Amino acid sequence: MQRSRLGRGAIAGAALFIVLVSGCGDPPPDPSVAPIEVVLDGCQLNRPSVAAGTHDVSVVGTGSVRILDTRGATVVERNNGEPEPTPVAMASGQHTVTCLDAAGKNTGSATLTVTAS
């Protein structure tokens, strides 16, 4: 009987440890200010959606990125040679992200959904 109590105690202790460790990470950023990172290789976004607001946009890879709003107007255009993220005010809607190589050739696109805040 003592053996089964020890077994249950060990299982309960392990479960508690897992719960405590899994809660130790940083909380996700507020969706209205979450940074947007565009990886030019494959035109991949670090998140598929954000809330309307001002977001820091950064580029990873060689080339540039252009983000267009729902009307087709350019919201931001930046290249990987700009070391600091660019703060960009984004309104709600479907935004088109276009990735370009160093020669300016389109290498892919993605959709960024901006929800109402």
Side-chain angles (χ1 to χ4, degrees):
M1 194 182 287
Q2 188 174 8
R3 194 177 253 176
S4 68
R5 286 185 189 158
L6 287 175
R8 284 185 274 168
I11 291 171
L16 179 60
F17 175 77
I18 290 170
V19 168
L20 290 174
V21 170
S22 66
C24 291
D26 290 335
D30 180 334
S32 66
V33 295
I36 300 167
E37 186 174 90
V38 182
V39 179
L40 294 175
D41 184 24
C43 206
Q44 299 176 31
L45 304 174
N46 64 326
R47 53 184 39 87
S49 66
V50 294
T54 301
H55 302 273
D56 285 342
V57 177
S58 57
V59 178
V60 177
T62 303
S64 62
V65 65
R66 184 178 303 133
I67 300 178
L68 306 176
D69 66 13
T70 56
R71 298 180 317 247
T74 301
V75 175
V76 66
E77 188 166 353
R78 61 175 283 132
N79 63 50
N80 65 319
E82 299 168 11
E84 296 297 318
T86 300
V88 178
M90 303 191 96
S92 61
Q94 299 286 334
H95 289 61
T96 302
V97 179
T98 303
C99 297
L100 308 164
D101 65 14
K105 179 182 171 194
N106 184 332
T107 60
S109 63
T111 300
L112 175 67
T113 302
V114 180
T115 61
S117 52

